[in-house]
Amino acid sequence: MAAVRHRQVEANGISMHVAEAGPEDASSPAVLFVHGFPELWYSWRHQMGYLAARGYRCVAPDLRGYGGTTAPPEPSSYTAFHIVGDLVALLDALRLPQVFVVGHDWGAIVSWNLCLLRPDRVRALVNLSVAFMPRRRGVKPLEYFRAAYGDDYYVCRFQEPGVEAEFTTFDLKSFFKLALTVRTVGSSSMNLRKMRAYKKEIKLPSWLSEEDVSYLASVYAKTGFAGGINYYRCLDLNWELMAPWTGAKVQVPTKFIVGDGDLSYHLPGVKSYVHKGGLKRDVPMLEEVVVIKGAGHFIQQERAQEISEHIYDYIKKFETGVSTLQVSKL
């Protein structure tokens, strides 16, 4: 890992904890890393080291509600406009007029929205795990998830007031070991009751250390999970607020990467959407889709070197002037 610098940045009315690596000057190309749930800036530690060593300024904030960043108590303070507003204000504070963006999980959703709302701030996008989800008229997100998986699905359960208190009953190290390594899909994914009842010893894979798990557990022990859960509570509110962007396309050069064992890849309709023209229709500047065999959801950690190389191979073209047009690996 490269040396990581930490600081607080005032942006959009909140204080954001930001981790940085690589050059500090504004003239160096910059990469904004956007994490998901239940994660922190720390999920990007490998990619930050890899790209910093190649001359990129790496910027990885804890998003609103996470880690060292302000966590407003009201769920309605976590809409797409709040989160995208935070990132735009962060770029302004750092005097970065345009950046490469890399997102994962909820961070991918945020990054799609950043590109949709402010494409002028994004040079190119590499998104991991979660494909673009265009707004569908008449179908709210929670209706979709309830119809597909029932009320016990974690996205639906996270709507319940006070559900975040259930995390206090976990040994957090055990929770993160399960959350990051156990591969489940559908109604079994992130099922808090089943996770609490899980008694088998969890042997960590080579890509995840006790130190990694301890770091996440120590931070979440201080902050709790309410901030991250509030993103889920804004799903339907986002659907309402994004009505003016119904049918809008993401007009940013894009590469999409997903593991074939990723729960997000197995949601109903996602594979056909990604591979049969839907994603390309909605993201016209999509240049490449990569499906990594045997990889799960936390792909930037599980396949750290491979993902780092994919990101670098894509964004370096915009630095050298080499054409970015290539045949998609569909």
Coordinates of all heavy atoms in Angstrom, one line a residue, residues 118-150:
R118 N -24.1 15.1 -13.2 CA -23.0 16.0 -13.4 C -21.9 15.3 -14.3 O -20.8 15.1 -13.9 CB -22.4 16.5 -12.1 CG -23.3 17.4 -11.3 CD -23.6 18.7 -12.1 NE -22.5 19.5 -12.5 CZ -21.9 20.4 -11.8 NH1 -22.3 20.7 -10.6 NH2 -20.8 21.0 -12.3
P119 N -22.2 15.0 -15.5 CA -21.2 14.3 -16.4 C -20.0 15.2 -16.7 O -18.9 14.7 -17.0 CB -22.0 14.0 -17.7 CG -23.1 15.0 -17.7 CD -23.5 15.2 -16.2
D120 N -20.2 16.5 -16.5 CA -19.1 17.4 -16.8 C -17.9 17.2 -15.8 O -16.8 17.6 -16.0 CB -19.5 18.9 -16.7 CG -20.2 19.2 -15.4 OD1 -21.1 18.5 -15.0 OD2 -19.7 20.2 -14.7
R121 N -18.2 16.6 -14.6 CA -17.2 16.4 -13.6 C -16.5 15.1 -13.7 O -15.5 14.8 -12.9 CB -17.8 16.5 -12.2 CG -18.5 17.8 -11.9 CD -17.7 19.1 -12.2 NE -16.6 19.2 -11.3 CZ -16.6 19.9 -10.1 NH1 -17.7 20.5 -9.8 NH2 -15.5 20.0 -9.4
V122 N -16.9 14.2 -14.6 CA -16.4 12.8 -14.7 C -15.7 12.6 -16.1 O -16.3 12.7 -17.1 CB -17.5 11.8 -14.5 CG1 -16.9 10.4 -14.5 CG2 -18.3 12.1 -13.2
R123 N -14.4 12.3 -16.0 CA -13.7 12.0 -17.2 C -14.0 10.7 -17.8 O -14.1 10.5 -19.0 CB -12.2 12.1 -16.9 CG -11.3 12.3 -18.1 CD -9.9 12.8 -17.6 NE -9.0 13.1 -18.7 CZ -7.8 13.5 -18.5 NH1 -7.2 13.6 -17.3 NH2 -7.0 13.8 -19.6
A124 N -14.1 9.7 -16.9 CA -14.5 8.3 -17.3 C -14.9 7.6 -16.0 O -14.5 7.9 -14.9 CB -13.4 7.6 -18.0
L125 N -15.7 6.5 -16.2 CA -16.2 5.8 -15.1 C -15.9 4.3 -15.2 O -16.0 3.7 -16.3 CB -17.8 5.9 -15.1 CG -18.5 5.0 -14.1 CD1 -18.3 5.4 -12.7 CD2 -20.0 5.1 -14.4
V126 N -15.4 3.7 -14.1 CA -15.3 2.3 -13.9 C -16.2 1.9 -12.8 O -15.9 2.2 -11.6 CB -13.9 1.8 -13.7 CG1 -13.8 0.3 -13.5 CG2 -12.9 2.3 -14.8
N127 N -17.3 1.2 -13.0 CA -18.2 0.8 -12.0 C -18.1 -0.7 -11.8 O -18.0 -1.5 -12.7 CB -19.6 1.2 -12.3 CG -20.1 2.3 -11.4 OD1 -19.4 2.6 -10.4 ND2 -21.2 2.9 -11.7
L128 N -18.2 -1.1 -10.5 CA -18.1 -2.5 -10.1 C -19.4 -3.0 -9.5 O -20.0 -2.3 -8.7 CB -17.0 -2.7 -9.1 CG -15.6 -2.1 -9.4 CD1 -14.7 -2.4 -8.2 CD2 -15.1 -2.5 -10.7
S129 N -19.8 -4.2 -9.9 CA -20.9 -5.0 -9.2 C -22.3 -4.6 -9.5 O -23.1 -5.5 -9.8 CB -20.6 -5.0 -7.7 OG -19.4 -5.6 -7.4
V130 N -22.6 -3.4 -9.5 CA -24.0 -3.0 -9.6 C -24.2 -2.2 -10.9 O -23.7 -1.1 -11.1 CB -24.5 -2.1 -8.4 CG1 -26.0 -1.7 -8.6 CG2 -24.4 -2.9 -7.1
A131 N -25.0 -2.8 -11.8 CA -25.3 -2.2 -13.1 C -26.2 -0.9 -12.9 O -26.9 -0.8 -11.9 CB -25.9 -3.2 -14.1
F132 N -26.2 -0.1 -13.9 CA -27.1 1.1 -13.9 C -28.5 0.6 -13.8 O -28.9 -0.4 -14.5 CB -26.9 1.8 -15.2 CG -27.8 3.1 -15.3 CD1 -27.7 4.1 -14.4 CD2 -28.7 3.2 -16.4 CE1 -28.5 5.2 -14.5 CE2 -29.5 4.4 -16.5 CZ -29.4 5.3 -15.5
M133 N -29.3 1.2 -13.0 CA -30.7 0.9 -12.8 C -31.6 2.0 -13.3 O -31.9 2.9 -12.4 CB -31.0 0.5 -11.4 CG -30.3 -0.8 -11.0 SD -30.6 -1.3 -9.3 CE -29.6 -0.1 -8.4
P134 N -32.0 2.1 -14.5 CA -32.8 3.2 -15.0 C -34.1 3.3 -14.3 O -34.7 2.3 -13.9 CB -33.0 2.9 -16.5 CG -32.9 1.5 -16.6 CD -31.8 1.1 -15.6
R135 N -34.6 4.5 -14.1 CA -35.9 4.7 -13.4 C -37.0 4.1 -14.3 O -37.2 4.5 -15.4 CB -36.1 6.2 -13.1 CG -37.4 6.5 -12.3 CD -37.6 8.0 -12.2 NE -38.7 8.3 -11.3 CZ -40.0 8.3 -11.7 NH1 -40.3 8.0 -13.0 NH2 -41.0 8.6 -10.9
R136 N -37.8 3.3 -13.7 CA -39.0 2.7 -14.4 C -40.3 3.3 -14.0 O -40.5 3.4 -12.8 CB -39.1 1.2 -14.1 CG -37.8 0.4 -14.4 CD -37.5 0.4 -15.9 NE -36.3 -0.5 -16.2 CZ -35.7 -0.5 -17.3 NH1 -36.0 0.3 -18.3 NH2 -34.7 -1.4 -17.5
R137 N -41.0 3.8 -14.9 CA -42.3 4.4 -14.6 C -43.2 3.4 -13.9 O -43.4 2.3 -14.4 CB -43.0 4.9 -15.9 CG -42.3 6.1 -16.5 CD -43.1 6.6 -17.7 NE -42.6 7.8 -18.3 CZ -41.7 7.8 -19.3 NH1 -41.2 6.7 -19.7 NH2 -41.2 8.9 -19.8
G138 N -43.8 3.8 -12.8 CA -44.9 2.9 -12.2 C -44.4 1.8 -11.4 O -45.2 1.1 -10.8
V139 N -43.0 1.6 -11.3 CA -42.5 0.5 -10.5 C -41.5 1.0 -9.5 O -40.4 1.3 -9.9 CB -41.9 -0.6 -11.4 CG1 -41.4 -1.7 -10.5 CG2 -42.8 -1.1 -12.4
K140 N -41.9 1.2 -8.2 CA -41.0 1.7 -7.2 C -40.0 0.5 -6.8 O -40.4 -0.6 -6.9 CB -41.8 2.1 -6.0 CG -42.6 3.4 -6.2 CD -43.2 3.9 -5.0 CE -44.0 5.2 -5.2 NZ -44.6 5.7 -3.9
P141 N -38.8 0.9 -6.4 CA -37.8 -0.1 -6.1 C -38.3 -1.1 -5.0 O -38.0 -2.3 -5.2 CB -36.6 0.7 -5.6 CG -36.8 2.0 -6.3 CD -38.2 2.3 -6.4
L142 N -38.9 -0.6 -4.0 CA -39.3 -1.6 -2.9 C -40.4 -2.5 -3.4 O -40.4 -3.7 -2.9 CB -39.8 -0.8 -1.7 CG -38.7 0.0 -1.0 CD1 -39.2 0.7 0.2 CD2 -37.5 -0.9 -0.5
E143 N -41.2 -2.1 -4.3 CA -42.2 -3.0 -4.9 C -41.5 -4.1 -5.6 O -41.9 -5.3 -5.6 CB -43.2 -2.2 -5.8 CG -44.1 -1.2 -5.1 CD -44.9 -0.4 -6.1 OE1 -44.7 -0.6 -7.4 OE2 -45.7 0.4 -5.7
Y144 N -40.5 -3.7 -6.4 CA -39.7 -4.7 -7.1 C -39.1 -5.8 -6.2 O -39.2 -7.0 -6.4 CB -38.6 -4.0 -7.9 CG -37.5 -4.9 -8.4 CD1 -37.7 -5.6 -9.6 CD2 -36.3 -4.9 -7.8 CE1 -36.6 -6.4 -10.1 CE2 -35.3 -5.7 -8.2 CZ -35.4 -6.5 -9.4 OH -34.4 -7.3 -9.8
F145 N -38.4 -5.3 -5.1 CA -37.7 -6.2 -4.2 C -38.7 -7.1 -3.4 O -38.4 -8.3 -3.2 CB -36.8 -5.4 -3.3 CG -35.5 -4.9 -4.0 CD1 -35.3 -3.6 -4.1 CD2 -34.6 -5.8 -4.5 CE1 -34.1 -3.1 -4.7 CE2 -33.4 -5.4 -5.1 CZ -33.2 -4.0 -5.2
R146 N -39.8 -6.5 -3.0 CA -40.8 -7.3 -2.3 C -41.4 -8.4 -3.1 O -41.6 -9.5 -2.7 CB -41.9 -6.4 -1.7 CG -41.4 -5.6 -0.5 CD -42.6 -5.0 0.3 NE -42.1 -4.4 1.5 CZ -41.9 -3.1 1.7 NH1 -42.2 -2.2 0.7 NH2 -41.5 -2.6 2.8
A147 N -41.7 -8.0 -4.4 CA -42.2 -9.0 -5.3 C -41.3 -10.1 -5.6 O -41.6 -11.3 -5.8 CB -42.7 -8.3 -6.6
A148 N -40.0 -9.8 -5.7 CA -39.0 -10.8 -6.0 C -38.6 -11.6 -4.9 O -38.4 -12.9 -5.0 CB -37.7 -10.0 -6.6
Y149 N -38.5 -11.1 -3.6 CA -37.9 -11.8 -2.5 C -38.7 -11.8 -1.2 O -38.4 -12.5 -0.3 CB -36.5 -11.2 -2.2 CG -35.5 -11.4 -3.4 CD1 -34.9 -10.3 -3.9 CD2 -35.3 -12.6 -3.9 CE1 -34.0 -10.4 -5.0 CE2 -34.4 -12.8 -5.0 CZ -33.7 -11.7 -5.5 OH -32.9 -11.8 -6.5
G150 N -39.7 -11.0 -1.2 CA -40.6 -11.0 0.1 C -40.1 -10.0 1.1 O -39.0 -9.4 0.9

